[in-house]
Amino acid sequence: MMDYPKTAGLSSRYININETRMKSELDKEHYLICSVRPGNFTSTGHFIVIYGYDENGFKINDPKSVYRSRLAWTFEQIKYDIKAIWSIGR
């Protein structure tokens, strides 16, 4: 997650699992790539993309589920699912 974005002219950095920091990165128009453990999104392990947020929660693209991608997720709902987060942007 650190090297490949550079080939496309993007920056990538690991960030802490923290609601304020996540929103700050999204406010910079960065995407958050999240490695998730078994929980709301998978039974084995998986990646999701957080691309925004509003008053209802985080907006997520889950490549395994259109249904879950259409939901808003609060930080409380997803914080234990996330193993690692990388912020990708220009």
Side-chain angles (χ1 to χ4, degrees):
M1 291 297 172
M2 299 300 288
D3 294 331
Y4 184 74
K6 292 176 189 174
T7 66
L10 300 171
S11 67
S12 175
R13 69 176 163 271
Y14 177 82
I15 67 166
N16 292 326
I17 302 166
N18 172 284
E19 182 176 13
T20 301
R21 180 65 190 270
M22 292 166 64
K23 287 180 176 179
S24 174
E25 293 298 313
L26 293 166
D27 288 342
K28 296 174 192 173
E29 297 184 3
H30 292 186
Y31 294 99
L32 304 179
I33 309 296
C34 301
S35 171
V36 294
R37 61 178 54 88
N40 288 306
F41 303 99
T42 182
S43 60
T44 58
H46 184 48
F47 287 91
I48 61 171
V49 177
I50 300 176
Y51 63 90
Y53 69 94
D54 61 20
E55 64 279 352
N56 298 313
F58 287 101
K59 298 177 182 182
I60 292 175
N61 184 341
D62 180 353
K64 288 178 76 175
S65 174
V66 172
Y67 172 76
R68 286 190 299 263
S69 295
R70 291 181 177 159
L71 301 174
W73 295 85
T74 67
F75 182 72
E76 292 300 315
Q77 289 175 303
I78 63 173
K79 69 181 179 181
Y80 297 114
D81 291 287
I82 300 172
K83 290 184 351 185
I85 304 174
W86 295 268
S87 174
I88 310 289
R90 295 214 179 266

